[in-house]
Each structure stands twice: as structure tokens, then as C-alpha cells.
Amino acid sequence: MSRMTVEKNIAYDDVRKRYYVTLNYGKNLKTSENVKSTKTCKSLAEARKILRAHLVDIDKKTAIIPVDDTLESYLNYWYKTIALNNHEETTCNGYRNIIYNHLIPYFKKTKLQDINARSINEYKAYKFKEKMISNNTLRKHYDLLKQVLKNAVFEDLLATNPADKVKAPKTKKKEANVYSIEQAKELIKLSRDTRLEIVIDILLYAGLRRSEMLGLTWDNVDFERRLLHIRSARTQANSKIIIKAPKTEQSNRDIPICEELMDALLKEKSKQDRNKRYYMGKYTNSNYIVRWDNGRAYRPNYISEIFSNFIAKNNLEEITLHNLRHTFISIAINQGVDIAEVSRLAGHSRPSTTLDIYTHIIRKNNPDATNTIAKALND
């Protein structure tokens, strides 16, 4: 004799010395088949406890029907069905890297409903200790996994989100790396009559993001009212060029053109007019402000490479193209431009964002705007 029924939905195996609880979930609405699962227990008391809890969940309609989904299959579903239809392509590119290069290879065939706080903590420890992933990067992994599991709860595949019971990786705030006014002046001087001249002028005199600068067309320049209209961004996800709206609603903004930037724009426009005549039929009129001599737009990542090579060639302190934006903001703050105006020029969602990033360089506040920054760079 092996397994025999001792109570309704509870059986005992006298060979294995184990109790088996049958949990009935009712009919699957898709297949019309009755859904059942079995749990193994060491004692009759434990079996009764599991059965009672299950019956309460059935009564409250909170019972979670067992599914065969692995975390891998659910991540695939979430990425293709949820992420790609609700997030920008650049954001999805980051998600894809985390999902297919990290989460799926680690969890492999682990069942979705078997993921718990312990398995997530073990993942964190493995990535941090064995793979030397920083806490800042690991926080992105944690946030993504938590978001995916939250969706599984919403779809009634999990009763609770196990990531809620896991402490998020502690991150370190990155201070903005900036040039001093003297360093910025030297950079401007060295860039004169090079292909980076207009790039550096736009970033240091207007404080744009790289994508915003590369998305600027001549239609965005109002020479009469002396305004730059920030209306689009041009970026890169792997090898694909993406044209999209600026980062936030506040990023869709107008920026005053100071005298120095006006001169730089007029100089660039004159140069491009000469190039059109020189290349004639071979000229590609992309209408972007930042472009090759033959009119083609730069690939976003390539313009950053050119800048890095320029910095190294001229033995300047290492700085990224994006950090010229940080330099603009730091100069504005330390020259007394009101923090609300700095936030507006930067296209931040709110002044508190600016304060959070640049607290370490704030000294005083006193209103003026791009002309104050230009004056500091040209004294």
C-alpha cells in the first residue's frame, strides 16, 4: 500500500511518509479544464493548515492558479508585449540588455511562481561579488525585475511581489564633473576653426543635452527673436538612429541666444552655405546644425568619440561631451543665476531636480540668464 486518502483532499503515502494536499482552483476560463495542484507536507497538521489557507483564498477570490511560466518566458512576454508598447526605444534598449544578458542567463528555467525574496537576494550578491557589478547598475536590475514582477501580480500570476521584501541596492549619487571657467575658456579657444567649434559653443552657451544639440535644425533657430527652440532629440540605440521628442515636457523649451552663440551660429551657417556650393549635387542637405561638411548628420556616438579624441590630443582634463552641459549649469549657478531659471534653461522637470544634482556647487542665487554665463566665459 502506498498512498491513501485520510481526509477530503488530503492523502498519506506510507512509503515516503509524506502527506499530499490537493488544491482545487476551479475551471480554467481558457481551456474549461479543472486546475489542480499538489503540495507535499511532513505532517497532517501542516497539510490541514495549507488546505485551510487555500480554501480561504478561494473564498476571497485571491487564490493564484499555478502556471507553467518560467521567469524567462515571462520576461520575454513582458518585454515584447509591455515594454515595447509603453516605453521609448532607448529605454527598451537598456531593458533588453538587462533581461537577455543578466536576468535570463542567471535564473534560466526557474519557475515564475518560485521566485522569492531569497532568490532575488542571491542574484544581487552574485552580480555584486562575482561579476563586480556596481550598486548603481545593480539598482537598475532590481528596479526592472521589481517592475516585471509587479506586472505579474497585476495579471494574477503572483499573490505578492517578492521584490517588495528585498532591500534595494544602495546607490551613490554621482556628482557632476565640470570644467572651471578657465578650463571652459581654454576649451572654447582650442576649438576655434575645428569641426567641434559649433558643438562646444552650443553646449557651453546653451547647456543642451547631446541629443538635443544633435536634434537642432536651422528651423529651430529664431535669429530675429534670438531664441533656440528645443523641439526634438536625436540619439542612438546600438546602431539605430532615433529621432524623438525631448526627454521631458519641460525639455521642450526656448533658450535665449547670447551674442557669442549668435556669432557662432552665423559663422556655421555661412560655412555650410559655402559647403553647399562646393559639394553641389553631392551635398546632403540634412538641415541639422551639427553635420559633416558634405551635409550629412553625425552619428550621435561618433561625435562623442571625436570630442574625447580632441580632449586627449590637447592634453585637457578628461571630460565627456555631456559634462559640458554640467559645466554650463555649474557656471550659471555660481554666477548667481536664479535656480528656477537654471532649471528652466536645463529643461529639468522641476528646480528640485537641479538642486539634487548640483547641490555641491551652489553658492548663491541672483537672477540673469545666458548673458551672465557668456560674460563669465568671455571676461
Side-chain angles (χ1 to χ4, degrees), residues 48-319:
R48 286 170 173 168
K49 182 178 179 181
I50 289 173
L51 182 58
R52 283 197 303 270
H54 173 70
L55 293 174
V56 169
D57 286 339
I58 291 292
D59 187 53
K60 291 182 177 179
K61 300 187 185 302
T62 57
I64 301 298
I65 296 175
V67 294
D68 291 329
D69 290 78
T70 61
L71 182 60
E72 176 180 4
S73 66
Y74 194 74
L75 283 167
N76 275 312
Y77 155 77
W78 181 88
Y79 179 74
K80 294 174 182 177
T81 307
I82 308 298
L84 290 178
N85 290 310
N86 292 280
H87 298 284
E88 291 189 355
E89 191 168 355
T90 47
T91 301
C92 288
N93 189 56
Y95 288 163
R96 184 168 57 245
N97 172 60
I98 295 172
I99 288 171
Y100 294 106
N101 293 332
H102 297 278
L103 293 175
I104 287 178
Y106 178 86
F107 287 102
K108 297 178 181 176
K109 300 301 178 183
T110 304
K111 288 273 188 84
L112 171 66
Q113 293 177 336
D114 288 341
I115 299 295
N116 54 33
R118 181 170 183 172
S119 60
I120 296 172
N121 276 322
E122 288 172 344
Y123 173 82
K124 283 171 51 187
Y126 172 75
K127 287 294 181 179
F128 184 74
K129 294 177 182 178
E130 302 294 329
K131 296 300 181 180
M132 306 296 287
I133 290 180
S134 70
N135 268 351
N136 283 18
T137 300
L138 198 52
R139 178 58 185 264
K140 295 178 182 178
H141 293 207
Y142 167 82
D143 288 343
L144 175 57
L145 183 57
K146 186 175 182 178
Q147 182 180 352
V148 172
L149 295 176
K150 181 180 179 180
N151 195 76
V153 173
F154 182 77
E155 293 183 342
D156 295 325
L157 300 177
L158 295 175
T160 60
N161 188 342
D164 288 338
K165 299 178 181 179
V166 176
K167 189 174 181 181
K170 189 175 181 180
T171 60
K172 292 182 180 179
K173 186 190 296 184
K174 292 182 179 179
E175 292 189 351
N177 182 30
V178 300
Y179 267 1
S180 66
I181 289 177
E182 291 306 315
Q183 287 174 309
K185 286 180 180 179
E186 179 67 10
L187 179 61
I188 290 171
K189 180 181 175 182
L190 290 169
S191 71
R192 288 296 166 253
D193 298 319
T194 72
R195 57 182 168 177
L196 285 173
E197 180 175 359
I198 190 62
V199 170
I200 290 168
D201 282 343
I202 290 173
L203 295 180
L204 283 177
Y205 287 122
L208 304 192
R209 298 176 177 91
R210 183 190 76 170
S211 59
E212 294 169 344
M213 173 197 68
L214 293 174
L216 277 177
T217 67
W218 288 110
D219 295 333
N220 299 136
V221 183
D222 187 335
F223 285 104
E224 185 176 340
R225 296 170 59 206
R226 291 175 171 261
L227 289 174
L228 278 182
H229 303 301
I230 313 305
R231 298 293 183 269
S232 66
R234 187 169 174 274
T235 188
Q236 188 171 340
N238 293 327
S239 60
K240 185 175 182 180
I241 303 299
I242 299 169
I243 311 297
K244 61 177 186 176
K247 187 174 182 180
T248 65
E249 184 180 343
Q250 289 73 22
S251 298
N252 196 42
R253 64 202 187 279
D254 294 338
I255 296 178
I257 302 173
C258 64
E259 195 66 38
E260 291 73 14
L261 183 53
M262 177 65 75
D263 290 342
L265 288 167
L266 289 171
K267 180 180 177 181
E268 181 65 22
K269 199 168 193 313
S270 177
K271 184 183 83 171
Q272 290 184 11
D273 288 339
R274 290 195 304 273
N275 286 336
K276 286 179 188 178
R277 293 192 294 271
Y278 176 80
Y279 283 94
M280 298 180 66
K282 295 181 179 180
Y283 191 82
T284 302
N285 194 2
S286 64
N287 204 36
Y288 286 110
I289 294 175
V290 178
R291 51 178 161 173
W292 291 93
D293 286 347
N294 64 3
R296 289 188 301 108
Y298 282 100
R299 294 187 69 81
N301 290 351
Y302 185 63
I303 200 72
S304 293
E305 291 176 21
I306 294 172
F307 179 76
S308 295
N309 291 337
F310 179 83
I311 293 297
K313 180 181 177 182
N314 287 281
N315 297 313
L316 298 174
E317 182 179 329
E318 187 175 340
I319 194 172

